[in-house]
């Protein structure tokens, strides 16, 4: 069976994709330095999949250390590159840290593809490349907009680095533009487990509900939307993981090197912040303690996907909605809080 290299395989989306690939019969190994994840994720991947997950603790920016691993692994059929810093707000505070880590790690992955003839790359990109779109929903032809954060800029530059080096690296690349990943594995064993305080909406909601935070703030209620709060397209992390396995299969069967393709991964449903909170209250049966506050700099007013292309070409069919996202996120928060 094909051998797949995951970078960031113990992270949020990486760990869920690790499970999906193992359950699909792939041989998988990960490189992850645990900068935003914990080694105990590996034990939980084993509990779900029944297989022993392999991870090498290495910094992708350490080219020599990385090369030792890739050389000893022999022929690798594909790499899925998740590893990156991804907090929009933090990237505004620490742009050089984001450029250094996100761009140098990608550069080393591309060097390994070239030197060790890894024919396929699946790249973790983001809907942030669209900025504040004029037209909604956005499809893959919607033009990139000027980045609104250093994080978003590293995703735009990452796509361009891959595309402009195809003749040198000789890879077939699939660029996956995620909308808002959320939720947790239905087993309750893995979920969003950030090392530092959560910044994204759904974990902030569950941390507030469990009492880790006294209350949460809705960032802005005067936007030109149906209830004044921002609109996002929340996609369940298990649906997102499935899309990676399907993208890998598509690349291996229909994307001979050199070449590339781009897919939006969203559920095509725009949900406001207040609607997300109401969905949580319905799913959990708990009232949430929140207040309306000022806008957060850099926030996009509204964005949601047209994912027709992923459905038609990858055969991808997202199964879960915002209620399932809130349910699984809540189960995960309760379990995580007991273990901590
Ligand atoms: C969502 C909405 C906030 C926290 C994320 C990822 C980014 C990319 C796109 C993958 C916004 C509001 C939040 C809070 C709030 N994904 N909010 N109170 O900014 O859309 O970006 O998805 O690459 O990596 O970061 O996600 O969850 O931070 O915010 O009101 O305490 O929730 O203002 O409207 P965002 P988010």
């Amino acid at each position: 069976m094909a051998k797949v290299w995951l970078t960031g395989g113990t992270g949020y989306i990486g760990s869920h994709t690790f499970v999906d690939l193992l359950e699909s019969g792939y041989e998988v190994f990960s490189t992850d330095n645990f900068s935003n994840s914990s080694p105990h994720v590996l034990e939980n991947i084993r509990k779900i999949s029944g297989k022993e997950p392999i991870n090498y603790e290495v910094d992708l920016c350490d080219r020599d250390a990385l090369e030792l691993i890739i050389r000893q692994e022999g022929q690798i059929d594909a790499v899925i590159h998740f590893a990156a810093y991804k907090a929009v707000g933090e990237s505004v505070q620490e742009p050089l840290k984001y450029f250094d880590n996100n761009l140098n790690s990608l550069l080393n992955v591309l060097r390994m593809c070239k030197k060790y003839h890894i024919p396929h790359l699946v790249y973790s990109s983001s809907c942030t490349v669209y900025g504040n779109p004029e037209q909604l929903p956005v499809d893959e032809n919607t033009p990139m907009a000027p980045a609104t954060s250093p994080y978003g800029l590293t995703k735009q530059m990452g796509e361009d680095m891959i595309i402009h080096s195809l003749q040198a690296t000789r890879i077939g690349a699939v660029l996956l533009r995620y909308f808002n990943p959320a939720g947790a594995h239905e087993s309750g064993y893995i979920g969003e487990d950030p090392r530092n305080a959560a910044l994204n909406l759904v974990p902030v909601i569950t941390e507030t509900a469990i009492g880790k935070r006294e209350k949460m703030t809705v960032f802005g209620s005067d936007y030109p939307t149906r209830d004044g709060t921002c609109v996002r397209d929340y996609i369940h992390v298990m649906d997102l993981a499935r899309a990676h396995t399907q993208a890998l299969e598509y690349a291996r069967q229909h994307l001979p090197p050199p070449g590339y393709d781009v897919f939006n991964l969203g559920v095509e449903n725009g949900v406001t912040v207040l609607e997300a909170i109401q969905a949580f209250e319905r799913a959990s049966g708990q009232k949430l303690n929140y207040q309306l506050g000022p806008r957060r700099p850099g926030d996009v007013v509204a964005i949601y996907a047209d994912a027709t292309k992923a459905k038609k070409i990858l055969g991808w069919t997202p199964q879960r909605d915002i209620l399932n996202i809130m349910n699984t996120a809540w189960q995960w928060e309760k379990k995580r809080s007991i273990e901590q």
Side-chain angles (χ1 to χ4, degrees):
M1 194 41 157
K3 181 186 284 189
V4 182
W5 166 27
L6 296 187
T7 74
T10 65
Y12 177 39
I13 304 165
S15 57
H16 289 77
T17 304
F18 210 146
V19 167
D20 196 279
L21 287 166
L22 289 173
E23 289 177 339
S24 305
Y26 284 94
E27 185 185 348
V28 189
F29 74 94
S30 162
T31 54
D32 198 316
N33 64 352
F34 304 120
S35 65
N36 194 24
S37 61
S38 314
H40 77 256
V41 169
L42 294 165
E43 172 56 24
N44 291 326
I45 291 172
R46 190 189 59 73
K47 282 180 190 164
I48 300 169
S49 66
K51 296 179 180 170
E52 200 55 49
I54 299 163
N55 179 71
Y56 297 99
E57 187 173 353
V58 66
D59 182 343
L60 282 183
C61 296
D62 180 345
R63 184 175 171 181
D64 295 339
L66 176 63
E67 183 158 4
L68 280 175
I69 294 163
I70 301 306
R71 189 184 301 132
Q72 80 179 32
E73 275 293 333
Q75 184 50 41
I76 298 167
D77 298 278
V79 53
I80 304 183
H81 181 42
F82 290 107
Y85 295 149
K86 64 132 192 161
V88 173
E90 183 188 48
S91 76
V92 175
Q93 308 305 324
E94 302 196 67
L96 301 186
K97 172 183 167 184
Y98 271 66
F99 297 143
D100 178 37
N101 182 67
N102 291 8
L103 300 178
N104 281 313
S105 54
L106 174 60
L107 195 51
N108 281 338
V109 168
L110 293 173
R111 285 176 171 135
M112 295 303 119
C113 289
K114 180 173 189 288
K115 187 166 180 179
Y116 293 94
H117 310 296
I118 301 172
H120 291 105
L121 163 70
V122 177
Y123 175 65
S124 164
S125 188
S126 165
C127 64
T128 42
V129 303
Y130 297 117
N132 243 317
E134 302 287 315
Q135 294 280 326
L136 284 172
V138 291
D139 67 20
E140 291 80 359
N141 299 317
T142 300
M144 279 197 190
T148 57
S149 71
Y151 164 78
L153 183 56
T154 65
K155 287 302 175 184
Q156 290 178 348
M157 290 173 71
E159 290 197 11
D160 285 346
M161 283 165 67
I162 291 165
I163 292 167
H164 290 278
S165 62
L166 287 173
Q167 292 309 327
T169 57
R170 314 297 300 168
I171 59 174
V174 179
L175 313 178
L176 300 180
R177 293 175 179 165
Y178 310 158
F179 283 69
N180 284 56
H185 196 272
E186 282 149 355
S187 67
Y189 284 121
I190 52 177
E192 196 159 7
D193 194 13
R195 273 197 170 290
N196 23 44
L199 296 167
N200 290 125
L201 178 66
V202 174
V204 166
I205 286 175
T206 59
E207 287 183 359
T208 304
I210 201 114
K212 288 180 183 169
R213 298 164 183 249
E214 201 258 326
K215 74 167 70 170
M216 68 156 286
T217 302
V218 172
F219 296 143
S221 54
D222 59 349
Y223 284 102
T225 62
R226 52 182 175 270
D227 63 17
T229 64
C230 292
V231 177
R232 293 290 185 276
D233 181 333
Y234 296 96
I235 169 175
H236 197 288
V237 66
M238 288 179 74
D239 286 328
L240 188 55
R242 182 91 282 266
H244 284 76
T245 306
Q246 291 172 312
L248 180 63
E249 283 153 8
Y250 165 72
R252 295 182 63 229
Q253 288 154 28
H254 306 290
L255 201 54
Y260 79 99
D261 210 340
V262 187
F263 295 93
N264 279 347
L265 294 178
V267 297
E268 306 182 291
N269 178 19
V271 170
T272 71
V273 176
L274 288 177
E275 288 164 352
I277 290 172
Q278 286 146 20
F280 173 80
E281 292 179 333
R282 261 182 63 201
S284 65
Q286 271 199 222
K287 286 301 285 174
L288 192 74
N289 188 14
Y290 69 90
Q291 64 186 0
L292 302 180
R295 296 183 176 191
R296 178 173 70 175
D299 266 338
V300 160
V301 181
I303 187 164
Y304 53 93
D306 173 340
T308 308
K309 188 179 171 187
K311 292 178 178 176
K312 272 174 62 178
I313 295 182
L314 302 183
W316 182 60
T317 46
Q319 310 286 326
R320 301 161 181 91
D321 63 6
I322 188 71
L323 274 178
N324 183 293
I325 282 175
M326 293 302 181
N327 222 334
T328 52
W330 184 225
Q331 296 316 315
W332 165 247
E333 183 66 66
K334 288 188 283 187
K335 186 175 167 72
R336 179 174 175 240
S337 302
I338 294 166
E339 285 167 358
Q340 273 176 338

